[in-house]
Short mmCIF file of all heavy atoms in Angstrom, two decimals:
data_model
loop_
_atom_site.label_atom_id
_atom_site.label_comp_id
_atom_site.label_asym_id
_atom_site.label_seq_id
_atom_site.Cartn_x
_atom_site.Cartn_y
_atom_site.Cartn_z
N PHE A 1 0.81 -1.19 0.02
CA PHE A 1 -0.01 0.00 0.00
C PHE A 1 0.83 1.23 0.00
O PHE A 1 0.60 2.23 -0.71
CB PHE A 1 -0.94 -0.03 1.21
CG PHE A 1 -2.23 -0.72 0.97
CD1 PHE A 1 -2.54 -1.95 1.60
CD2 PHE A 1 -3.15 -0.22 0.08
CE1 PHE A 1 -3.73 -2.58 1.38
CE2 PHE A 1 -4.37 -0.87 -0.20
CZ PHE A 1 -4.65 -2.06 0.49
N ILE A 2 1.94 1.27 0.78
CA ILE A 2 2.77 2.47 0.85
C ILE A 2 3.39 2.77 -0.52
O ILE A 2 3.35 3.93 -0.96
CB ILE A 2 3.89 2.26 1.89
CG1 ILE A 2 3.30 2.27 3.33
CG2 ILE A 2 4.94 3.43 1.78
CD1 ILE A 2 4.33 1.89 4.38
N ILE A 3 3.88 1.75 -1.20
CA ILE A 3 4.52 2.02 -2.50
C ILE A 3 3.44 2.45 -3.51
O ILE A 3 3.67 3.32 -4.35
CB ILE A 3 5.26 0.77 -2.96
CG1 ILE A 3 6.50 0.51 -2.11
CG2 ILE A 3 5.68 0.89 -4.42
CD1 ILE A 3 7.20 -0.75 -2.32
N ALA A 4 2.28 1.82 -3.38
CA ALA A 4 1.16 2.21 -4.30
C ALA A 4 0.77 3.65 -4.10
O ALA A 4 0.50 4.40 -5.08
CB ALA A 4 -0.01 1.27 -4.04
N PHE A 5 0.80 4.16 -2.85
CA PHE A 5 0.49 5.51 -2.57
C PHE A 5 1.60 6.48 -2.98
O PHE A 5 1.34 7.63 -3.32
CB PHE A 5 0.13 5.73 -1.11
CG PHE A 5 -1.17 5.06 -0.70
CD1 PHE A 5 -1.28 4.39 0.54
CD2 PHE A 5 -2.28 5.10 -1.53
CE1 PHE A 5 -2.46 3.77 0.86
CE2 PHE A 5 -3.47 4.49 -1.17
CZ PHE A 5 -3.59 3.84 0.06
N ILE A 6 2.85 6.02 -2.89
CA ILE A 6 3.96 6.91 -3.31
C ILE A 6 3.80 7.26 -4.78
O ILE A 6 4.03 8.41 -5.19
CB ILE A 6 5.27 6.22 -3.05
CG1 ILE A 6 5.64 6.21 -1.53
CG2 ILE A 6 6.44 6.92 -3.80
CD1 ILE A 6 6.85 5.37 -1.16
N TYR A 7 3.46 6.30 -5.60
CA TYR A 7 3.38 6.50 -7.05
C TYR A 7 1.98 6.80 -7.56
O TYR A 7 1.80 7.37 -8.63
CB TYR A 7 3.98 5.30 -7.78
CG TYR A 7 5.45 5.22 -7.64
CD1 TYR A 7 6.00 4.52 -6.56
CD2 TYR A 7 6.33 5.84 -8.52
CE1 TYR A 7 7.39 4.47 -6.38
CE2 TYR A 7 7.69 5.78 -8.36
CZ TYR A 7 8.24 5.09 -7.26
OH TYR A 7 9.55 5.04 -7.09
N GLY A 8 0.97 6.34 -6.78
CA GLY A 8 -0.41 6.60 -7.17
C GLY A 8 -0.97 7.79 -6.41
O GLY A 8 -0.28 8.76 -6.10
N GLU A 9 -2.27 7.69 -6.09
CA GLU A 9 -2.94 8.76 -5.37
C GLU A 9 -3.60 8.17 -4.14
O GLU A 9 -4.10 7.06 -4.14
CB GLU A 9 -3.99 9.37 -6.29
CG GLU A 9 -3.43 10.04 -7.51
CD GLU A 9 -4.55 10.60 -8.44
OE1 GLU A 9 -5.73 10.65 -7.96
OE2 GLU A 9 -4.23 10.91 -9.60
N TRP A 10 -3.67 9.01 -3.09
CA TRP A 10 -4.34 8.58 -1.84
C TRP A 10 -5.79 9.02 -1.98
O TRP A 10 -6.14 10.21 -1.99
CB TRP A 10 -3.69 9.25 -0.66
CG TRP A 10 -4.29 8.88 0.66
CD1 TRP A 10 -5.54 9.22 1.09
CD2 TRP A 10 -3.74 8.09 1.67
NE1 TRP A 10 -5.78 8.68 2.34
CE2 TRP A 10 -4.67 7.97 2.72
CE3 TRP A 10 -2.52 7.43 1.80
CZ2 TRP A 10 -4.44 7.21 3.86
CZ3 TRP A 10 -2.28 6.68 2.94
CH2 TRP A 10 -3.22 6.57 3.93
N SER A 11 -6.71 8.08 -1.98
CA SER A 11 -8.15 8.36 -2.05
C SER A 11 -8.77 8.23 -0.69
O SER A 11 -8.39 7.33 0.07
CB SER A 11 -8.81 7.41 -3.03
OG SER A 11 -10.23 7.49 -2.89
N PRO A 12 -9.71 9.09 -0.32
CA PRO A 12 -10.41 8.96 0.97
C PRO A 12 -11.23 7.66 1.01
O PRO A 12 -11.74 7.31 2.08
CB PRO A 12 -11.30 10.18 1.01
CG PRO A 12 -11.38 10.66 -0.41
CD PRO A 12 -10.11 10.31 -1.08
N LYS A 13 -11.34 6.97 -0.13
CA LYS A 13 -12.08 5.68 -0.12
C LYS A 13 -11.39 4.65 0.78
O LYS A 13 -12.06 3.82 1.40
CB LYS A 13 -12.12 5.16 -1.56
CG LYS A 13 -13.18 5.74 -2.40
CD LYS A 13 -14.56 5.08 -2.16
CE LYS A 13 -15.58 5.50 -3.16
NZ LYS A 13 -16.87 4.80 -2.90
N TRP A 14 -10.05 4.71 0.84
CA TRP A 14 -9.32 3.70 1.62
C TRP A 14 -9.53 3.93 3.13
O TRP A 14 -9.38 5.05 3.55
CB TRP A 14 -7.82 3.75 1.29
CG TRP A 14 -7.57 3.52 -0.15
CD1 TRP A 14 -7.18 4.46 -1.10
CD2 TRP A 14 -7.78 2.28 -0.89
NE1 TRP A 14 -7.09 3.86 -2.32
CE2 TRP A 14 -7.43 2.55 -2.25
CE3 TRP A 14 -8.15 1.01 -0.49
CZ2 TRP A 14 -7.50 1.55 -3.22
CZ3 TRP A 14 -8.25 0.04 -1.48
CH2 TRP A 14 -7.92 0.28 -2.83
N ARG A 15 -9.84 2.85 3.86
CA ARG A 15 -10.21 3.03 5.24
C ARG A 15 -9.32 2.15 6.09
O ARG A 15 -9.61 0.98 6.35
CB ARG A 15 -11.66 2.62 5.48
CG ARG A 15 -12.68 3.53 4.77
CD ARG A 15 -14.12 3.06 4.99
NE ARG A 15 -15.06 3.87 4.25
CZ ARG A 15 -16.36 3.59 4.18
NH1 ARG A 15 -16.84 2.53 4.79
NH2 ARG A 15 -17.16 4.36 3.48
N PHE A 16 -8.19 2.76 6.54
CA PHE A 16 -7.32 2.03 7.39
C PHE A 16 -7.66 2.39 8.87
O PHE A 16 -8.32 3.37 9.14
CB PHE A 16 -5.87 2.46 7.14
CG PHE A 16 -5.42 2.15 5.76
CD1 PHE A 16 -5.46 3.08 4.72
CD2 PHE A 16 -4.87 0.89 5.44
CE1 PHE A 16 -5.04 2.75 3.46
CE2 PHE A 16 -4.42 0.60 4.17
CZ PHE A 16 -4.53 1.54 3.18
N SER A 17 -7.23 1.51 9.77
CA SER A 17 -7.34 1.89 11.21
C SER A 17 -6.50 3.15 11.41
O SER A 17 -5.59 3.48 10.64
CB SER A 17 -6.84 0.76 12.09
OG SER A 17 -5.38 0.64 11.96
N ASN A 18 -6.82 3.90 12.48
CA ASN A 18 -6.05 5.12 12.84
C ASN A 18 -4.60 4.81 12.92
O ASN A 18 -3.75 5.63 12.50
CB ASN A 18 -6.62 5.74 14.09
CG ASN A 18 -7.98 6.33 13.87
OD1 ASN A 18 -8.38 6.69 12.76
ND2 ASN A 18 -8.76 6.46 14.96
N LYS A 19 -4.26 3.70 13.58
CA LYS A 19 -2.87 3.30 13.77
C LYS A 19 -2.15 3.09 12.44
O LYS A 19 -1.04 3.66 12.26
CB LYS A 19 -2.75 2.04 14.61
CG LYS A 19 -1.35 1.59 14.88
CD LYS A 19 -1.33 0.35 15.74
CE LYS A 19 0.07 -0.11 16.00
NZ LYS A 19 0.07 -1.40 16.83
N VAL A 20 -2.76 2.36 11.54
CA VAL A 20 -2.12 2.09 10.23
C VAL A 20 -2.11 3.38 9.40
O VAL A 20 -1.13 3.64 8.67
CB VAL A 20 -2.87 0.98 9.50
CG1 VAL A 20 -2.34 0.78 8.10
CG2 VAL A 20 -2.73 -0.34 10.27
N TYR A 21 -3.17 4.17 9.46
CA TYR A 21 -3.22 5.44 8.71
C TYR A 21 -2.06 6.33 9.14
O TYR A 21 -1.37 6.88 8.26
CB TYR A 21 -4.55 6.09 9.02
CG TYR A 21 -4.71 7.45 8.32
CD1 TYR A 21 -5.18 7.50 6.98
CD2 TYR A 21 -4.40 8.65 8.98
CE1 TYR A 21 -5.32 8.76 6.39
CE2 TYR A 21 -4.58 9.88 8.36
CZ TYR A 21 -5.02 9.92 7.06
OH TYR A 21 -5.18 11.13 6.46
N ARG A 22 -1.81 6.46 10.47
CA ARG A 22 -0.69 7.29 10.91
C ARG A 22 0.63 6.74 10.47
O ARG A 22 1.53 7.46 10.10
CB ARG A 22 -0.75 7.41 12.46
CG ARG A 22 -1.84 8.28 12.98
CD ARG A 22 -1.70 8.59 14.42
NE ARG A 22 -1.76 7.40 15.27
CZ ARG A 22 -2.87 6.92 15.81
NH1 ARG A 22 -4.02 7.56 15.62
NH2 ARG A 22 -2.86 5.84 16.55
N LEU A 23 0.78 5.36 10.53
CA LEU A 23 2.04 4.80 10.09
C LEU A 23 2.30 5.02 8.63
O LEU A 23 3.42 5.38 8.22
CB LEU A 23 1.98 3.27 10.35
CG LEU A 23 3.20 2.49 9.89
CD1 LEU A 23 4.48 2.93 10.63
CD2 LEU A 23 2.99 0.96 10.03
N ILE A 24 1.33 4.83 7.78
CA ILE A 24 1.52 5.02 6.37
C ILE A 24 1.92 6.45 6.10
O ILE A 24 2.85 6.73 5.30
CB ILE A 24 0.21 4.67 5.59
CG1 ILE A 24 0.00 3.16 5.60
CG2 ILE A 24 0.33 5.16 4.14
CD1 ILE A 24 -1.28 2.71 4.95
N ASN A 25 1.20 7.42 6.68
CA ASN A 25 1.62 8.82 6.47
C ASN A 25 3.00 9.13 7.00
O ASN A 25 3.77 9.89 6.35
CB ASN A 25 0.57 9.74 7.16
CG ASN A 25 -0.63 10.00 6.28
OD1 ASN A 25 -0.57 10.72 5.26
ND2 ASN A 25 -1.74 9.34 6.58
N GLN A 26 3.37 8.53 8.10
CA GLN A 26 4.71 8.71 8.65
C GLN A 26 5.76 8.20 7.68
O GLN A 26 6.77 8.87 7.42
CB GLN A 26 4.84 8.03 9.99
CG GLN A 26 6.18 8.19 10.67
CD GLN A 26 6.26 7.38 11.98
OE1 GLN A 26 5.39 6.50 12.27
NE2 GLN A 26 7.22 7.67 12.81
#
């Protein structure tokens, strides 16, 4: 998911837990 977001786009459709969401953004 991280690599996909680096090259793709982050859509609000994706629903991660708060913990995973923070990790991915970090």
Side-chain angles (χ1 to χ4, degrees):
F1 273 112
I2 290 171
I3 292 171
F5 291 139
I6 287 172
Y7 290 87
E9 299 176 11
W10 181 290
S11 167
K13 279 279 189 179
W14 302 109
R15 295 179 185 172
F16 299 95
S17 69
N18 289 336
K19 180 180 179 181
V20 174
Y21 179 85
R22 287 192 297 268
L23 176 64
I24 290 176
N25 276 286
Q26 181 183 14

